[in-house]
Amino acid sequence: MASLLGRFCRKLVVPGSAHGSRMVSTTACDSEAVKSLNLHSAINQALHIALETDPRSYVFGEDVGFGGVFRCTTGLAERFGKNRVFNTPLCEQGIVGFGIGLAAMGNRAVVEIQFADYIYPAFDQVKRVFPTLEFDFSTAEFLIRGFNSQIVNEAAKFRYRSGNQFNCGGLTIRAPYGAVGHGGHYHSQSPEAFFCHVPGIKVVIPRSPREAKGLLLSSIRDPNPVVFFEPKWLYRPAVEEVPEHDYMIPLSQAEVIREGNDITLVGWGAQLTVMEQACLDAEKVLDFIFQLKDNWFKVSNMGLELIMQEGISCELIDLKTLLPWDKETVEASVKKTGRLLISHEAPVTGGFGAEISATILERCFLKVKSLRFNSSRRD
Amino acid sequence: MAMWFARSRNLVSILRQNLGLSATLIKRNHSSPRPVFTNYQLSSRVFLDPSTSFRHESTAVETQPDLVQQSDHEDDAQELDFPGGKVGYTSEMKFIPESSSRRIPCYRVLNEHGKIISDSDFIPVSEKLAVRMYEQMATLQVMDHIFYEAQRQGRISFYLTSVGEEAINIASAAALSPEDVVLPQYREPGVLLWRGFTLEEFANQCFGNKADYGKGRQMPIHYGSNQHNYFTVSSPIATQLPQAAGVGYALKMEKKNACAVTFIGDGGTSEGDFHAGLNFAAVMEAPVVFICRNNGWAISTHISEQFRSDGIVVKGQAYGIRSIRVDGNDALAVYSAVRSAREMAVTEQRPVLIEAMTYRVGHHSTSDDSTKYREADEIQYWKMSRNPVNRFKKWVEDNGWWSEEDESKLRSSTRKQLLQAIQAAEKWEKQPLTELFNDVYDVKTKNLEEQEVGLKALVEKQPQDYPTGFHI
C-alpha cells in the first residue's frame, strides 16, 4: 500500500495535465500569471481571495487560526483578523450549526471540519436518521453513532422548508477526505456517498490544485450549501501551475480529461491520479493485472477480459461535482464507448458508483456492452 | 439571587437613562444573603462600551478573595499557574458536591393571586402594554383550543399547543425588540403572534395552502416569517441553538442593536446541540438569549429521567454564561427577566441563559395522550390553580385595566375570527405540484426538472391516484 502510494508520489502527474489531453478547466489565458502550487497552497489562495472579495465572509473551524493542520488557512487570521478567521471549540455540530446561523444572516461561512471522518456529528445539522450503524469492512471500518442534524436536516432543508424565506446558501463545509497511507480508520474515510443522498446541498471534490482553487471559489460563491471534500493525499505532493487571479470553475460540469474510444472511466478526487496511470498502462498493457490485484483502492465494474486485450483506448472523466452530477457528459461518453468503469475509494456497497451505474444503465441500456460488478470490487 | 438583583438595579437605572423609562422602579431595600461576587467586582464588568472589542477579556477569571491568599513571595506561591489562568490550591481533598444544599431560587414578582409580592424588583409595565400582553395571552389560548379541535375533527393533520406556557410566549416576546432574531423550538407561536402574524397566516400554514409562506411543505405549527424575524420551525430538537450563536455573532459583527433569542425545552437541553450552542455563544461572546422552557415533560419523559442537575440554570455557569431561573408562569417576572437579559446581551455582547419554570398542561401534541403517563389530577391542578393567564388577568383587573365585558368580547371575537380563518384556509387551494421541486436549490437543477416532468406525466396519466383538487 505504502509502496504503491510511494510509486505514485514519486512521479505524481496531476490528472489531465499531461499527454496532450484537453485542458478546458480554466479560463486562464497564457498571458495570465501562474504559480507552481501544491493543493493546500491553492486552497489557501482561494480562501484569501474569497475573504478579500467579500467582507462578509468568514473562515473558522478547529485550529484554523495558526494555519490549520494541513496548512490550508495560513496567513488568513493575520491578514483578515481574528473576528473573521478564528478557532472554534472542538465540536463539529457546533461549527456547522454556527455556520448555518451566520449564513442565514447573509454571510459566507467557510467552515473547516478537520477530517471528513469527523463530519458525522454535524451530519444532522447537514440527520437524526440512523441511530447506530456498524460497518465491519477490512479497509474502511467506521462506527456511526447518533448522527446529529446540522448538515442534512438543517442546512440542506433550510431554504425549502421555509418556502425560500430563509436560506443558508453562504455555507461551505470543507473537509480533507481519503486515504493518505498512514491514516487508519479515522483519518482516511471517504464519506461522500452519505451526502450525495441529501437533496439541497452540493458535493464537490477537486482532483488537483488548479481545479481545487476554481472549484472552491465556485462553491463558496454558490448560493447553496456546499460540502467540499479535499483529497488530503494530494495536499503536498500534487503540484500544478495555478493561475494567480480570481477564477471559478463551474459546478455540476464534468470534464473529459482524457479522450478515448474503448471504455469510459469515471472518477473524482485523488482516485483520478490512479485512474490516469491505469489508462496509460492500459494503452500499453503492462502488468495491468498485477497492479489491480495490489491496488487496495476500490476498482469496480471492470471486466477482466478487457485487460487481456492490447492497447485499450480509455476516456477518463472527472465528475468534479457529485451532487448534482453531470449525467449528460457521462452519458455521451458511454454512448460512444459502450463500456463504463467507475472507481472510487469509498466502500463499494451503496457507494456513489452505484448511483452512476444505475443512472447510466437506465439511460444507455442498449448501448452498454460492459457494466459488470464482479469479484474485484471490495468494501 | 442577590447578585442578580444588584445587577438589575444598575441595569434598570441605565435603562431609565437610556431608554427614557419614566416610571419609578418599584424597589425596596432588602436584606440580601452574602453575594458570591461583590458589587465592585460586578459593576466593573457590567456596562462596557459596546464598541470596545473585548473578545478575550470579559471571560477573565474573577478572583475570590476568601479563597486565595495574595502573596508576593515566590517560594510562598499560593497559586498554581496552568493554561487558563491561575488557580488557588488546597491540600484538603474536597469534592464539589453533585448538588447544592439549596436549589437556585426562582425569580417571581406576582403571587398566585395576581398580587405583586412586596419588595419585588421588576421593570414596570404600562397599562397599554399590560392589556396588550393579556389580550395576546388570551388569544393564544383561544387559538390553541380551536386549532386543536380542528385537528380532532380531521381538518388539519397535526397540532401542538402551548397551554400553560402563555406567559413565557407573550411576555418574552413583549420584552424583545422587533429586530431581535428569534430561533424557536416549536412551542412558541405566541412570539410570532405578538410580532403581528395574523390568525389567518397561522391557519394558512396549518392547512398548507397556497398562501402559506412555507409553501405547504412542512407539518402544521412549523411557522416561519422573515418579515417578523422568526426563523422557520424545524422538527429536530435543539438544532437552532448553535445556529442562534451564529446569528448572534452575525449581529455582533454588523454592530446591530439586536440579539438572537432562541428557545428550547427541558428535553432539548440533553441534546449535544445545547452544549454546542452555549459553548460557542460564550466563546464567541455572541449576543444570544437562551430561553429554556422547563415544563417538566419531554413527551412522556419526566425531567427526573432527563437530567440529574438542578434543572437547567446551573448549567449556564459551566459555560461561563450568566443565568437566571424565573417563574415562567409569572408574566411580569418573565418580562423583567427577558428584558434585562436582552439588554445585557446587546450592551455587553454576551450570551445569557434563562430557565423559565412552567408546566406543560396540554399533551405533547395531537399525537399524544398524556393521561397515559401522568395523573389527570396533576394536569388539572396546573390548569386551574397555576394558570398563568388567570394570574396575570387578576393583576390587570386589579389595576382596573380589564373587565369581564372586555374578556367576553375578546374571547368571542377571537373565536369568531379563528373559525373564519379556518374556513377560509381550508377552502384555499393547495400549492401546485411544481412547488415540490422549487427551492431545493436556489435554481432548479436538471435532475429535478426531469423528475418534475416525470411526475407531471404520471399525474396526468393516473389522475384517479391523486386527490381531487390536486393540480400541477
Side-chain angles (χ1 to χ4, degrees):
Chain A
M1 173 58 234
S3 66
L4 182 72
L5 272 176
R7 177 173 172 251
F8 284 118
C9 287
R10 270 193 294 279
K11 50 159 191 154
L12 197 64
V13 175
V14 172
S17 64
H19 306 280
S21 47
R22 271 173 29 205
M23 286 301 298
V24 296
S25 63
T26 81
T27 53
C29 41
D30 293 319
S31 58
E32 292 281 355
V34 295
K35 200 167 167 197
S36 224
L37 290 181
N38 60 19
L39 183 63
H40 71 72
S41 302
I43 287 168
N44 185 246
Q45 221 177 62
L47 292 172
H48 273 271
I49 291 171
L51 289 173
E52 191 179 274
T53 52
D54 183 354
R56 294 183 69 189
S57 52
Y58 299 81
V59 168
F60 51 92
E62 294 153 22
D63 302 299
V64 305
F66 86 105
V69 295
F70 289 111
R71 322 305 303 138
C72 292
T73 52
T74 45
L76 295 174
E78 292 85 341
R79 188 171 166 206
F80 298 101
K82 283 188 161 175
N83 285 342
R84 292 179 66 197
V85 180
F86 48 87
N87 291 344
T88 59
L90 207 171
C91 181
E92 288 74 17
Q93 66 197 92
I95 292 168
V96 175
F98 187 87
I100 290 172
L102 257 182
M105 297 294 285
N107 302 290
R108 286 190 214 284
V110 186
V111 322
E112 176 173 305
I113 300 293
Q114 200 157 79
F115 286 89
D117 313 56
Y118 311 138
I119 203 167
Y120 307 111
F123 197 64
D124 202 28
Q125 287 273 355
V126 173
K127 203 168 192 177
R128 214 183 298 112
V129 179
F130 309 98
T132 339
L133 223 55
E134 279 188 7
F135 291 88
D136 184 24
F137 300 120
S138 55
T139 49
E141 289 185 9
F142 48 94
L143 237 56
I144 308 163
R145 282 190 212 93
F147 283 137
N148 203 318
S149 281
Q150 297 290 347
I151 299 174
V152 172
N153 271 341
E154 298 293 316
K157 298 172 171 60
F158 216 82
R159 185 193 296 274
Y160 189 79
R161 75 185 185 206
S162 70
N164 203 17
Q165 293 189 89
F166 300 99
N167 75 77
C168 61
L171 177 68
T172 305
I173 302 168
R174 296 176 38 246
Y177 91 96
V180 70
H182 56 282
H185 300 324
Y186 304 112
H187 298 80
S188 314
Q189 290 181 34
S190 223
E192 71 272 11
F194 295 110
F195 297 94
C196 290
H197 193 55
V198 185
I201 57 173
K202 295 194 175 180
V203 180
V204 178
I205 307 184
R207 69 170 186 267
S208 74
R210 191 201 310 236
E211 289 289 307
K213 179 177 168 180
L215 286 169
L216 182 56
L217 282 168
S218 290
S219 301
I220 291 171
R221 292 162 177 165
D222 191 281
N224 299 285
V226 178
V227 180
F228 189 83
F229 288 117
E230 300 164 359
K232 67 171 85 66
W233 173 36
L234 299 181
Y235 272 144
R236 269 188 303 176
V239 177
E240 198 177 17
E241 301 281 280
V242 178
E244 299 212 285
H245 66 281
D246 181 349
Y247 66 95
M248 304 205 296
I249 294 174
L251 302 185
S252 297
Q253 280 186 28
E255 182 190 354
V256 178
I257 58 179
R258 189 184 186 80
E259 286 184 5
N261 296 301
D262 293 330
I263 181 170
T264 302
L265 285 81
V266 176
W268 50 87
Q271 189 66 355
L272 287 164
T273 309
V274 177
M275 293 165 84
E276 187 161 51
Q277 189 57 48
C279 292
L280 292 172
D281 294 345
E283 278 158 22
K284 288 178 268 175
V285 193
L286 283 173
D287 294 327
F288 196 47
I289 302 164
F290 176 76
Q291 284 165 36
L292 272 182
K293 272 170 59 182
D294 278 3
N295 184 354
W296 73 272
F297 296 109
K298 321 298 181 272
V299 177
S300 58
N301 307 341
M302 171 62 92
L304 279 173
E305 60 265 29
L306 275 178
I307 302 161
M308 302 305 201
Q309 298 167 20
E310 276 194 27
I312 301 163
S313 159
C314 305
E315 179 143 297
L316 182 58
I317 298 179
D318 177 7
L319 212 53
K320 303 193 202 191
T321 301
L322 271 60
L323 179 73
W325 65 284
D326 180 358
K327 300 176 190 175
E328 283 71 28
T329 301
V330 178
E331 190 182 339
S333 175
V334 176
K335 281 185 170 153
K336 181 173 81 168
T337 64
R339 294 181 183 89
L340 175 63
L341 181 146
I342 306 152
S343 181
H344 58 66
E345 280 187 44
V348 64
T349 303
F352 195 63
E355 154 71 18
I356 300 172
S357 305
T359 302
I360 295 301
L361 200 59
E362 191 176 42
R363 290 172 173 229
C364 312
F365 186 71
L366 296 174
K367 301 269 175 138
V368 175
K369 292 176 252 183
S370 173
L371 179 82
R372 281 174 23 216
F373 294 83
N374 66 12
S375 59
S376 65
R377 71 187 185 109
R378 268 160 278 168
D379 284 323
Chain B
M1 228 39 251
M3 137 178 120
W4 189 87
F5 283 124
R7 254 194 208 95
S8 75
R9 270 196 289 274
N10 292 333
L11 197 69
V12 173
S13 60
I14 297 286
L15 280 174
R16 248 188 280 142
Q17 286 161 29
N18 294 349
L19 306 172
L21 288 181
S22 52
T24 318
L25 171 69
I26 300 159
K27 62 180 176 115
R28 291 283 306 270
N29 296 324
H30 52 265
S31 57
S32 46
R34 184 179 69 86
V36 177
F37 298 114
T38 64
N39 276 353
Y40 169 72
Q41 287 169 324
L42 289 170
S43 59
S44 63
R45 291 262 181 248
V46 169
F47 288 106
L48 299 174
D49 181 349
S51 64
T52 308
S53 162
F54 38 82
R55 264 201 68 192
H56 302 284
E57 289 169 4
S58 65
T59 52
V61 172
E62 303 265 11
T63 54
Q64 294 190 29
D66 48 337
L67 286 180
V68 172
Q69 291 145 31
Q70 309 285 0
S71 165
D72 293 302
H73 253 273
E74 272 179 20
D75 20 287
D76 200 12
Q78 297 292 311
E79 288 177 335
L80 299 174
D81 212 338
F82 281 112
K86 293 194 194 309
V87 288
Y89 72 86
T90 171
S91 300
E92 182 193 355
M93 184 177 72
K94 192 173 165 191
F95 285 74
I96 300 170
E98 64 277 11
S99 63
S100 199
S101 54
R102 186 173 169 242
R103 290 191 67 182
I104 302 288
C106 193
Y107 169 57
R108 173 187 253 215
V109 174
L110 284 177
N111 65 18
E112 286 305 333
H113 307 291
K115 301 268 186 279
I116 294 194
I117 298 166
S118 55
D119 307 346
S120 296
D121 267 345
F122 69 102
I123 299 170
V125 168
S126 67
E127 173 181 350
K128 188 171 167 208
L129 184 59
V131 167
R132 180 157 191 247
M133 279 168 65
Y134 177 72
E135 282 176 339
Q136 296 273 290
M137 284 166 73
T139 302
L140 180 57
Q141 269 190 332
V142 179
M143 182 175 102
D144 270 348
H145 174 71
I146 294 196
F147 277 129
Y148 188 91
E149 289 306 312
Q151 193 280 340
R152 282 303 185 236
Q153 294 164 13
R155 296 164 85 181
I156 53 176
S157 59
F158 174 84
Y159 194 72
L160 190 159
T161 67
S162 309
V163 179
E165 302 182 48
E166 295 87 352
I168 295 175
N169 266 250
I170 300 298
S172 66
L176 301 173
S177 92
E179 285 72 43
D180 295 328
V181 179
V182 174
L183 292 90
Q185 180 59 73
Y186 49 57
R187 218 178 285 280
E188 305 92 17
V191 177
L192 195 50
L193 181 68
W194 178 269
R195 288 183 165 194
F197 211 59
T198 65
L199 300 175
E200 290 74 23
E201 286 169 321
F202 280 112
N204 288 334
Q205 196 284 327
C206 287
F207 281 90
N209 62 29
K210 207 166 176 190
D212 169 27
Y213 304 134
K215 300 187 185 167
R217 291 166 183 155
Q218 293 214 79
M219 290 168 68
I221 70 95
H222 288 65
Y223 315 110
S225 173
N226 54 2
Q227 194 199 340
H228 299 101
N229 286 324
Y230 189 93
F231 272 39
T232 303
V233 172
S234 74
S235 312
I237 302 289
T239 49
Q240 68 278 10
L241 299 178
Q243 292 172 18
V247 169
Y249 190 73
L251 292 168
K252 175 191 177 95
M253 291 303 291
E254 290 166 42
K255 298 188 165 41
K256 291 256 164 76
N257 179 6
C259 64
V261 180
T262 186
F263 292 83
I264 188 70
D266 41 280
T269 65
S270 296
E271 276 285 352
D273 272 339
F274 173 79
H275 161 78
L278 266 65
N279 197 33
F280 268 69
V283 169
M284 301 309 298
E285 299 180 10
V288 186
V289 178
F290 293 96
I291 302 178
C292 174
R293 296 176 292 95
N294 183 348
N295 65 18
W297 294 94
I299 308 189
S300 70
T301 305
H302 186 252
I303 46 175
S304 57
E305 294 178 313
Q306 195 68 249
F307 41 70
R308 280 283 176 276
S309 53
D310 171 16
I312 313 308
V313 65
V314 293
K315 298 186 182 188
Q317 193 175 53
Y319 295 103
I321 292 179
R322 200 173 289 169
S323 324
I324 187 171
R325 167 173 278 158
V326 67
D327 179 349
N329 287 1
D330 176 348
L332 289 183
V334 172
Y335 178 82
S336 288
V338 174
R339 182 89 187 260
S340 306
R342 190 253 174 216
E343 295 307 325
M344 278 182 224
V346 176
T347 54
E348 291 180 63
Q349 297 286 292
R350 61 162 64 244
V352 182
L353 172 67
I354 297 176
E355 180 185 15
M357 311 296 286
T358 183
Y359 187 85
R360 194 197 76 207
V361 171
H363 306 304
H364 166 70
S365 73
T366 48
S367 308
D368 176 48
D369 172 13
S370 60
T371 58
K372 285 199 159 67
Y373 50 80
R374 58 184 185 177
E375 294 296 327
D377 289 345
E378 179 187 305
I379 306 170
Q380 199 59 10
Y381 164 71
W382 283 90
K383 190 171 180 177
M384 305 311 289
S385 320
R386 305 286 294 270
N387 187 314
V389 184
N390 292 347
R391 195 160 148 202
F392 191 60
K393 183 183 171 193
K394 285 185 195 130
W395 182 71
V396 177
E397 280 177 339
D398 284 348
N399 282 327
W401 300 337
W402 192 255
S403 68
E404 272 313 310
E405 199 193 320
D406 294 325
E407 179 78 12
S408 54
K409 243 180 22 185
L410 174 74
R411 291 208 178 241
S412 66
S413 77
T414 306
R415 189 185 153 79
K416 193 167 159 207
Q417 202 185 338
L418 271 159
L419 291 171
Q420 282 170 352
I422 286 177
Q423 277 171 8
E426 202 168 31
K427 288 204 191 76
W428 213 318
E429 61 177 356
K430 300 289 189 238
Q431 297 283 349
L433 195 61
T434 190
E435 282 300 343
L436 198 64
F437 299 95
N438 285 338
D439 306 325
V440 180
Y441 295 95
D442 66 316
V443 166
K444 217 182 294 183
T445 53
K446 276 206 197 98
N447 60 327
L448 286 170
E449 280 172 356
E450 286 166 12
Q451 289 165 18
E452 186 179 358
V453 166
L455 184 56
K456 276 185 186 170
L458 187 63
V459 172
E460 273 159 12
K461 194 168 147 206
Q462 292 167 215
Q464 70 279 5
D465 289 340
Y466 295 89
T468 49
F470 187 75
H471 60 282
I472 294 159

